[in-house]
Amino acid sequence: MSKDRGRRASRRGSGRPTIADVAKLAGVAAITVSRALRDPSLVSAELRAQIDTAVVQLGYAPDPNARALASSRADVIGVLVPSLTNIVFADTVRGIYDELGESPLQIQMGNTHYSPREEERLVRMFLSQRPSALIVSGIDQTQTTRKLLETAGCPVVQIMEHGDDPVDMLIGFSHFEGGKMATNHLLEAGYRRIGFIGARMDPRSQRRLAGYRWSLEEAQLFDPRLVTTTLTPSSVSLGGQLLADTLAKAHDLDAVFCNNDDLAMGVLFECQRAAIAVPHRMGICGFNDLDMMRVAYPPLTSVRTPRYEIGRRSVQMVLDRLANRPVSPSIIDLGFELQARESTMR
């Protein structure tokens, strides 16, 4: 085990930081810390700055149940996802609920709205309620949020990603490799002027874009003019608009890898509106493989991701840890699968 992981394990094992820890680091009395956290106007600006710095460094979260036994935990698993309406995360949440079954544990949901600041706020709030465990989407937390998770004193599972440095446990897949697979498929199908269309461009989207770029650079075919992205939330109509924008820059575009299936469906509709033949004139590949991809006409190629299984297995990891059963491996890559359909059969 690496030294960094050993330190993380030590912090989790020793429990969450206390007001006394904050006071020691800030060089003030514990009662001063208590006053500052309860009502910042009760202490000077200088002391507030010292205390705020110590809180961030330690990852301290106030505990309204501090008088209870330190070992007490609520029968709750906190679950943080960036969206409750996106079907991708709805599938994952369904897996979480299904696997929990008849367990006495309950789920408390938090929607971060893709905001690192909101994620940090929700992590603090959840930890103040002393949950039995946390399931958190992604691996791109802020430094402060990561510190809070490392010192949570309960099992933490990060989901929907793959990497070698989780806070505690991790289950998901590589978005970079998924982007590579989709792009390589289009290359193998004979397409050469392959574009990327992306919306919102959160860290997972950025990794898919990086995989796309890697594959085209390896083939010496990367052209930045073929990349069209926006921070606007994804929608079917946006997919059509982004395809039109890309064609305006590159008339010889002959395929697109879309960041998600909503965009891919919009690209298909725009091709039909503009009398662009799919797959002969334009190849289309999406990501996630929602049910609509199979029933579209023509059926759309996509990268199938194990969303439901990620939710189910994340709960298994939590239950094993709470029962003091070994969780091995603590990093699980469930991979993905290309679903090749008519939209890329040139």
Side-chain angles (χ1 to χ4, degrees):
M1 181 173 64
S2 70
K3 291 182 179 179
D4 286 344
R5 291 186 184 179
R7 283 196 292 269
R8 289 199 297 272
S10 175
R11 281 195 293 268
R12 288 193 297 271
S14 59
R16 302 163 64 238
T18 64
I19 280 184
D21 297 326
V22 175
K24 182 177 180 180
L25 184 58
V28 299
I31 188 63
T32 305
V33 174
S34 181
R35 288 171 180 162
L37 295 177
R38 186 174 67 254
D39 186 352
S41 66
L42 294 176
V43 300
S44 69
E46 180 180 355
L47 283 179
R48 284 203 306 272
Q50 290 175 226
I51 292 166
D52 288 345
T53 298
V55 165
V56 169
Q57 289 182 3
L58 291 172
Y60 173 76
D63 183 359
N65 301 312
R67 293 180 182 177
L69 292 174
S71 61
S72 66
R73 287 277 168 189
D75 290 333
V76 166
I77 298 176
V79 177
L80 292 177
V81 294
S83 172
L84 293 174
T85 56
N86 187 327
I87 188 63
V88 171
F89 295 101
D91 285 345
T92 303
V93 170
R94 182 166 56 87
I96 289 172
Y97 275 101
D98 286 354
E99 185 64 24
L100 205 54
E102 300 300 317
S103 167
L105 294 171
Q106 300 296 313
I107 296 297
Q108 181 177 4
M109 294 297 307
N111 184 353
T112 69
H113 300 283
Y114 294 91
S115 166
R117 179 174 295 182
E118 177 65 3
E119 180 179 53
E120 180 181 327
R121 186 189 73 81
L122 287 171
V123 168
R124 287 187 184 279
M125 183 186 74
F126 279 16
L127 290 179
S128 73
Q129 298 166 9
R130 300 187 61 78
S132 291
L134 288 176
I135 297 174
V136 184
S137 299
I139 56 176
D140 296 282
Q141 286 77 28
T142 65
Q143 183 177 357
T144 298
T145 301
R146 184 176 176 99
K147 176 76 74 172
L148 287 166
L149 294 173
E150 289 176 346
T151 57
C154 68
V156 175
V157 184
Q158 291 163 288
I159 61 172
M160 306 299 287
E161 292 271 13
H162 182 63
D164 59 4
D165 188 31
V167 168
D168 184 5
M169 297 174 284
L170 176 64
I171 183 166
F173 58 92
S174 169
H175 294 263
F176 176 81
E177 294 296 333
K180 282 174 58 179
M181 173 183 277
T183 309
N184 287 338
H185 168 71
L186 291 169
L187 287 168
E188 291 164 4
Y191 299 101
R192 290 297 176 264
R193 297 290 287 165
I194 303 169
F196 178 92
I197 288 178
R200 195 181 287 279
M201 298 313 293
D202 57 64
R204 287 172 288 278
S205 301
Q206 295 285 355
R207 283 188 263 279
R208 293 172 204 167
L209 172 57
Y212 153 89
R213 178 167 184 161
W214 188 94
S215 289
L216 288 184
E217 286 181 342
E218 283 289 296
Q220 298 184 336
L221 291 172
F222 177 72
D223 182 348
R225 293 177 301 166
L226 303 184
V227 176
T228 305
T229 63
T230 176
L231 298 180
T232 303
S234 180
S235 68
V236 172
S237 60
L238 182 60
Q241 176 188 325
L242 294 178
L243 175 65
D245 292 345
T246 308
L247 285 169
K249 298 183 293 181
H251 299 290
D252 58 345
L253 179 77
D254 68 357
V256 285
F257 167 40
C258 299
N259 179 53
N260 61 46
D261 292 343
D262 289 350
L263 296 178
M265 188 64 72
V267 167
L268 175 63
F269 290 159
E270 178 63 17
C271 285
Q272 292 171 342
R273 188 196 67 79
I276 299 173
V278 177
H280 305 295
R281 169 65 180 84
M282 184 73 66
I284 305 172
C285 181
F287 199 94
N288 283 314
D289 197 36
L290 303 183
D291 189 55
M292 63 183 177
M293 304 298 274
R294 179 178 56 84
V295 298
Y297 184 79
L300 293 172
T301 295
S302 190
V303 176
R304 178 177 295 175
T305 55
R307 306 176 297 278
Y308 177 84
E309 186 67 9
I310 288 171
R312 199 178 64 81
R313 295 280 294 276
S314 68
V315 171
Q316 289 178 1
M317 297 169 86
V318 165
L319 296 178
D320 284 344
R321 179 65 66 78
L322 292 176
N324 293 317
R325 293 189 293 263
V327 178
S328 182
S330 60
I331 300 174
I332 299 175
D333 181 2
L334 291 180
F336 41 79
E337 182 181 357
L338 183 79
Q339 297 297 304
R341 300 189 178 97
E342 189 177 337
S343 70
T344 55
M345 294 180 181
R346 197 172 199 179

